[in-house]
Amino acid sequence: MKLAIIGAGAVGRSVVELAGEYGHEVVAVADSASAAVDPDGMDAAAVLERKATEGTVGDDDPADALAAEYDALVEATPTTLGDAEPGFSHVTAALERDRHAVLANKGPVAERFRELRALADDSEGDVRFEATVGGAIPAVSTVEDVEPGHVTAVRGVLNGTANFILTRMAAEGLDYEHVLAEAQDLGVAEADPSFDVEGTDAALKCVILSNVLSFGAADDPADAREFTLADADIEGIRDVPGSALQLAAEDGQTVRLIGEATGETVRVAPRLVPENGTLAVSGTQNIVQIETSHAGRLNISGRGAGGPETASAVLGDVGRLE
Amino acid sequence: MTGPDRSGTIDGDLSTDGGRSTTPSTHTVRLELNDEPGQLLAALEPIADNGGNLLSIYHERGNKTPRGRIPVEVDFEATEERFEGIVDALRAAGVNVMQAGTEEYAEDVTVVVFGHLIDTDLSDTLQRIEACASASVADVSLTAPKGTEEASSARLRLETRAGETETALAAVRSLADEKGLRVVEPLVGVDA
């Protein structure tokens, strides 16, 4: 497939780098200020080198990348909330041209799912978004395989930064501020960690899963309930004291930031889980637990973030479109 | 010959007007004990001391609950009135009563509460949880590492009637909201 990759952050760059290995051609790459377009497919290494040294990917205008002759557009710009722009417009542009869109950006699927579905229904192109939930973990496609109507709930640990902090707090008996500073030094937490530690990121993923469950189970999409971030009940981990983890440990338990999506409710909160239980993954690991009507419980754990990990989910989606 | 036909009759010992039987009958209580020496004796004393006539003890030492406690079933004879006193005495002695006769305290749920627990009157908090019909506070552990000024944490073990865990948690949640405390709830119904 010919790919246009919009967004040249860690995920976009990894998609550029790995596309060839998956048998795809990159015909356009854009960051916020520049673009490189080559209908015959470009030299990934050269584009990445230029991004690293000059900060731009090429001499073209970002709009040229959107207008390029691609089969699938990869939307890997940073997640924005509310109107989910400019990601939403990028995806719209692809679908209106009957091309596919593959998202790593959570905004459009978390905030404007119904509109996106309607655009896809009117298009020859399809929308896929595996990379928006749990990085490398095939959460969305597993729910689709089991069929949303036969999934009663999806829950799990969906934010590696928050999980790293809770794991360290419990293991070392340290307080939140101390562990956060350590996580920032290690590059596990961002300078402004709000999105991760306040539960917003995990909530977006659960909102997306709830949309998958709700729309997937409905006979008519018009009857499906649409979820947005505003529907999520969110508590973060910022105030959780070390003493709470200590008391949990004395009872053989620990605290994890757990997200739950049922297709009716979305909830993210620190919860007590058995210390050695399935959900108590360590460090930056994520886990997705899928409750099914006829097949019991499925657990998938793995890396929930990272450039190559998320790019692997993006390229998996591209493969499903072929 | 088949057994006596009891359809439409009421056992002679039970009166129909809600009065209490004074004849001892057999009761079963299901307890959960910590795996420590002396726990079984400590659980049996309140039964004997309050007029219960011990009949049998089924001590499943090899079969621990998920939280590492040992389930014990005790049968004893007591009048209806004494039976209630025995259950109260067991609780007062800190024994975890999971089921008493038809009254099931089958669910045992642990939460961690944190915030300004002491400034917001912890004993009032506990009393109000107790006042909620669906739960009783079976155990409390408090940690206030930075004294009473800073945030502290408490682990509460609640015994709730079968099927009422969600109601009990909702009560804890709303009380915590009112007092500006935070609750770390378990994942109910998930044997993670």
Side-chain angles (χ1 to χ4, degrees), chain A residues 211-222:
Chain A
N211 280 325
V212 172
L213 293 177
S214 165
F215 281 80
D219 293 328
D220 179 355

Side-chain angles (χ1 to χ4, degrees), chain A residues 112-131:
Chain A
R112 301 176 74 177
F113 196 85
R114 190 185 297 283
E115 287 172 80
L116 205 60
R117 273 293 300 255
L119 283 165
D121 286 346
D122 290 339
S123 171
E124 294 291 311
D126 209 350
V127 181
R128 299 206 60 90
F129 46 90
E130 181 65 74

Side-chain angles (χ1 to χ4, degrees), chain A residues 11 40 42 52 62 72 78 96 147-148 165 167 179-180 184 200 205 214 239 246 251 272 278 302:
Chain A
V11 175
D40 300 323
M42 65 188 66
E96 283 178 347
E147 292 188 1
I165 292 172
T167 307
V179 176
L180 173 63
Q184 285 167 330
T200 316
K205 292 163 181 169
S214 165
D239 308 325
Q246 201 185 320
D251 195 41
L272 287 173
T278 319

Side-chain angles (χ1 to χ4, degrees), chain A residues 239-253:
Chain A
D239 308 325
V240 176
S243 56
L245 285 147
Q246 201 185 320
L247 285 172
E250 285 169 14
D251 195 41
Q253 304 194 67

Side-chain angles (χ1 to χ4, degrees), chain A residues 265-287:
Chain A
T265 55
V266 176
R267 181 176 178 199
V268 173
R271 305 288 282 270
L272 287 173
V273 298
E275 207 167 16
N276 300 315
T278 319
L279 285 170
V281 290
S282 309
T284 57
Q285 287 279 301
N286 283 22
I287 182 164

Side-chain angles (χ1 to χ4, degrees), chain A residues 175 235-236 243 247 267 272, chain B residues 110 146 153 155 182 185-186:
Chain A
D175 261 322
E235 284 178 64
S243 56
L247 285 172
R267 181 176 178 199
L272 287 173
Chain B
T110 298
K146 293 179 182 156
S153 302
R155 187 182 67 236
R182 296 265 311 268
E185 293 175 41

Side-chain angles (χ1 to χ4, degrees), chain A residues 1 36 121 205 291 315:
Chain A
M1 277 212 181
D121 286 346
K205 292 163 181 169
E291 295 286 349
L315 291 162

Side-chain angles (χ1 to χ4, degrees), chain B residues 4-76:
Chain B
D5 176 13
R6 297 195 171 211
S7 57
T9 67
I10 292 167
D11 208 330
D13 287 343
L14 297 170
S15 57
T16 51
D17 62 1
R20 292 178 171 233
S21 162
T22 49
T23 316
S25 56
T26 304
H27 300 274
T28 301
V29 290
R30 201 152 54 82
L31 314 173
E32 265 191 13
L33 304 181
N34 289 328
D35 189 8
E36 287 163 17
Q39 291 291 307
L40 182 59
L41 184 60
L44 298 179
E45 273 171 356
I47 299 174
D49 291 351
N50 288 278
N53 178 27
L54 287 166
L55 298 173
S56 73
I57 300 156
Y58 183 54
H59 190 202
E60 287 181 81
R61 212 180 173 289
N63 181 13
K64 290 194 181 179
T65 67
R67 264 185 279 274
R69 299 199 185 92
I70 299 166
V72 178
E73 248 181 45
V74 184
D75 294 332
F76 56 88

